[in-house]
Amino acid sequence: MQKTKASNIIIFIILLVLAMAFLTPIFVVLMNSFKGKFYISDTPFLFPNSTTFTGLQNYTSGIAKTGFFNAFGMSLFITVGAVAVIVLFTSMTAWYITRVKSKFTNLMYYIFVFSMIVPFQMVMFTMTKTANVLHLDNPIGIIFIYLGFGSGLSVFLFSGFVKSIPIEIEEANMIDGCNPVQSYFKVVLPILKPIAITVAILNVMWVWNDYLLPDLIIGTEYKTIPIAIQYLKGGYGSIDMGAMMAMLVLAIIPIVIFYLACQKYIIEGVVAGAVKG
Amino acid sequence: MPTILAFLIAFVIPFVMGIYLSLTEFTTVTDAKWVGFSNYAKAFSNQEFLNALWFTVRFSVISVISINVFAFIFAMLLTRKLRGTNVFRTIFFMPNLIGGIVLGYIWQLIINGILNNYEVTLTSSATYGFWGLVVLMNWQLIGYMMIIYIAGIQNVPKDIVEAAKIDGASRSKILRNVTLPLVMPSITICLFLTVSNSFKLFDQNLALTAGAPSKQSAMLALDIFNTFYGKSGYEGVGQAKAVVFFVLVASIALIQLVLTRRKEVEN
């Protein structure tokens, strides 16, 4: 017993050191976000002192330069919209292709699964062109593109779950006089809730942080947060490091709040997603 | 069915068109001229592409091994009965939620800060970019993989471990002969996720070094992007590279799945 106690303390200390190491990068950025821009690249690991401390100046200039609040709103709009649409429509699709057995639904299922291993670069150019031709190159259109490109994983996860629901429940509804739409909203969707949360979490993590798709489809007219940060870099080499640090902090804050608020679901979602995948 | 429609527009049509266009020369989709496999020949005689390919392969091998080894060790430590394991899990997982672009700039600051002491910067040599990306990927993905390993380890039935202990098996023996085979499904998933993530890495690469110096630290995804949007007239070559990339990612992922699935045991 004594031995395990001692080894537990050692492991605890090791973990504590590792945890500190994991947090250091975030801490360094936070520290530098309060320093004048000329001091950041010289001494990134020192605390701000009386000469280097600039208060909130980096934040105000960063917000002004990037239009941070617009970018935040845009990111929020696209993420919420895309995730809502993905959860609603892919669950319907998955329900349909699992319950209606035909050659077509079988084929669809395999194409959805196949799409999961196709890297984005494969369809990058042609998807962008298609979106332009169809006038989907705006914040509403991109939600539609996200639904299309993100449907593979979501349909796959939902299908696995639908298979485990006994079909008798739905048959009983049919006998009670529900049509398929009623039966979907009243019976199937509530049962799908756990996996719907998983799908939503995985998609939030993806859409919120996605850089390339919004950059290519809607360009610089409407910037999301990752794009606003990338464009802060601007021309060759000249970065306002102060504004950059402040923006990095502001970009991290929402996701950390989101994480702490739904931590339980996020970790469960990752596990559920992985086990099915 | 909106999903099917969106899926057609965002995936099926671009995919089919992509394969067709890789065999043509074009600048816009409508002026495609059939050129057969010459785009592929050009892609493979392109030094930047070969360089990116080799860079990506080296990077993936190293980061896949290191991420999985560390994640597994973390998971082993955190499945013991200890105080504060939940807090530790929360901290280790957090970097994963931060987007690739942001991650790239965070590490740019830190690595440049360290290299500054030796009067060099991240973009002085591709070696720095390489190890920078390895560290960044480890920081980002260890927590994610750790969570999956923890779930796997917790599913190992306690009575089997107890039985092995009573039979006098040492710790390392239990790990090798009991735990590892039973968490094989988790290993399959983690390898799959790390392999495909390493190969497809783009945002982090763009933000950390953007391929500098002179494209030596560009990975495949970034090289393909530059071919499309950097040089006019090379769109066909870019698409051919993308097809090669797709075939590569898909076959590695499938081979890996088959190999590790074979090692899984029913529990």
Side-chain angles (χ1 to χ4, degrees):
Chain A
M1 254 358 241
Q2 276 302 325
K3 205 179 137 204
T4 39
K5 250 188 188 163
S7 70
N8 275 352
I9 291 171
I10 293 169
I11 289 170
F12 185 82
I13 292 169
I14 294 172
L15 284 170
L16 200 65
V17 172
L18 284 171
M20 302 287 261
F22 257 67
L23 288 177
T24 309
I26 296 174
F27 183 69
V28 170
V29 171
L30 184 67
M31 213 162 68
N32 282 293
S33 71
F34 295 105
K35 277 191 213 162
K37 56 183 167 189
F38 302 112
Y39 302 104
I40 289 171
S41 38
D42 290 342
T43 53
F45 302 117
L46 296 181
F47 273 103
N49 58 34
S50 54
T51 37
T52 58
F53 184 75
T54 55
L56 290 175
Q57 195 196 320
N58 287 332
Y59 286 84
T60 46
S61 80
I63 287 171
K65 275 189 186 165
T66 55
F68 180 80
F69 293 111
N70 285 337
F72 181 81
M74 188 51 55
S75 279
L76 195 65
F77 172 76
I78 292 178
T79 307
V80 171
V83 171
V85 168
I86 287 174
V87 169
L88 184 66
F89 288 131
T90 60
S91 62
M92 266 188 212
T93 312
W95 181 55
Y96 179 80
I97 62 178
T98 340
R99 287 297 185 234
V100 181
K101 289 254 176 275
S102 70
K103 280 205 171 126
F104 170 73
T105 55
N106 233 340
L107 179 71
M108 274 321 290
Y109 178 74
Y110 283 111
I111 299 179
F112 276 124
V113 173
F114 170 73
S115 80
M116 287 194 292
I117 56 167
V118 175
F120 179 70
Q121 272 67 24
M122 175 68 206
V123 295
M124 173 174 74
F125 190 75
T126 42
M127 182 205 277
T128 315
K129 291 289 172 217
T130 317
N132 281 338
V133 172
L134 295 170
H135 300 292
L136 292 170
D137 43 2
N138 54 56
I140 306 276
I142 200 173
I143 290 177
F144 190 72
I145 300 281
Y146 271 121
L147 169 63
F149 194 71
S151 52
L153 177 69
S154 311
V155 167
F156 177 69
L157 290 173
F158 275 124
S159 300
F161 199 82
V162 172
K163 271 182 210 146
S164 67
I165 305 173
I167 198 161
E168 284 78 12
I169 302 175
E170 288 155 49
E171 282 170 351
N173 275 290
M174 294 292 190
I175 295 168
D176 290 346
C178 278
N179 63 30
V181 177
Q182 279 176 321
S183 134
Y184 172 79
F185 278 105
K186 290 201 176 135
V187 182
V188 180
L189 202 56
I191 301 177
L192 288 179
K193 205 178 140 200
I195 195 76
I197 293 173
T198 300
V199 170
I201 295 281
L202 293 176
N203 280 300
V204 166
M205 284 165 53
W206 168 52
V207 178
W208 178 267
N209 289 323
D210 197 24
Y211 166 73
L212 204 44
L213 193 56
D215 184 48
L216 289 173
I217 306 251
I218 50 181
T220 50
E221 196 179 338
Y222 306 97
K223 287 181 184 146
T224 61
I225 293 178
I227 296 175
I229 288 176
Q230 177 65 14
Y231 278 87
L232 189 59
K233 200 179 154 199
Y236 279 87
S238 62
I239 313 176
D240 181 344
M241 286 300 274
M244 177 63 102
M245 291 306 123
M247 285 307 103
L248 293 180
V249 173
L250 289 183
I252 295 171
I253 289 172
I255 202 78
V256 169
I257 293 174
F258 169 73
Y259 176 45
L260 295 178
C262 350
Q263 204 202 112
K264 190 178 134 228
Y265 295 110
I266 291 174
I267 290 188
E268 276 174 10
V270 166
V271 171
V275 173
K276 292 276 177 188
Chain B
M1 284 270 139
T3 317
I4 308 258
L5 185 68
F7 187 60
L8 279 176
I9 290 174
F11 177 73
V12 179
I13 295 173
F15 183 79
V16 175
M17 238 164 75
I19 291 181
Y20 165 70
L21 286 177
S22 75
L23 300 167
T24 63
E25 195 179 300
F26 65 98
T27 45
T28 59
V29 176
T30 41
D31 67 352
K33 262 191 317 211
W34 185 264
V35 291
F37 284 94
S38 80
N39 284 332
Y40 289 89
K42 272 188 203 160
F44 277 110
S45 59
N46 177 326
Q47 196 52 47
E48 278 164 21
F49 181 65
L50 296 177
N51 189 43
L53 183 66
W54 177 228
F55 191 91
T56 309
V57 171
R58 274 184 305 158
F59 168 78
S60 300
V61 170
I62 291 178
S63 56
V64 165
I65 294 172
S66 64
I67 291 169
N68 282 289
V69 168
F70 282 123
F72 192 80
I73 295 172
F74 281 30
M76 287 300 284
L77 295 178
L78 285 174
T79 42
R80 294 162 154 246
K81 283 194 193 71
L82 271 181
R83 231 188 260 186
T85 47
N86 277 330
V87 179
F88 286 127
R89 287 179 202 186
T90 307
I91 292 172
F92 293 141
F93 185 79
M94 195 157 60
N96 195 266
L97 287 139
I98 302 170
I101 293 283
V102 179
L103 286 171
Y105 286 115
I106 293 177
W107 281 96
Q108 194 183 56
L109 170 80
I110 292 173
I111 296 169
N112 270 335
I114 296 169
L115 290 179
N116 204 16
N117 298 331
Y118 307 97
E119 314 251 301
V120 284
T121 63
L122 192 51
T123 49
S124 310
S125 151
T127 318
Y128 299 134
F130 180 85
W131 291 106
L133 280 171
V134 171
V135 172
L136 190 162
M137 264 311 249
N138 271 279
W139 192 59
Q140 184 185 10
L141 285 180
I142 283 175
Y144 199 101
M145 300 309 143
M146 175 198 76
I147 295 291
I148 299 173
Y149 282 129
I150 286 177
I153 293 170
Q154 281 172 340
N155 276 337
V156 175
K158 290 234 163 46
D159 42 343
I160 298 186
V161 181
E162 289 297 315
K165 261 187 204 158
I166 292 167
D167 289 348
S170 68
R171 266 209 180 150
S172 61
K173 266 206 172 138
I174 294 178
L175 178 66
R176 190 147 26 100
N177 298 330
V178 181
T179 315
L180 274 182
L182 286 174
V183 295
M184 219 38 217
S186 301
I187 296 178
T188 306
I189 302 301
C190 288
L191 283 180
F192 176 77
L193 289 174
T194 40
V195 168
S196 63
N197 271 319
S198 309
F199 262 88
K200 293 195 232 168
L201 198 70
F202 179 85
D203 299 4
Q204 289 86 335
N205 194 191
L206 177 70
L208 191 72
T209 63
S214 58
K215 301 189 176 160
Q216 284 175 30
S217 68
M219 295 180 61
L220 278 176
L222 186 61
D223 180 59
I224 293 170
F225 180 83
N226 287 335
T227 316
F228 270 122
Y229 297 98
K231 300 185 248 184
S232 184
Y234 275 77
E235 284 84 353
V237 181
Q239 191 59 51
K241 287 180 181 179
V243 174
V244 173
F245 185 43
F246 152 66
V247 172
L248 193 70
V249 171
S251 37
I252 290 174
L254 288 179
I255 292 169
Q256 180 262 318
L257 277 184
V258 171
L259 284 182
T260 45
R261 275 272 145 83
R262 217 184 281 158
K263 289 219 169 83
E264 287 178 18
V265 288
E266 297 290 324
N267 62 338

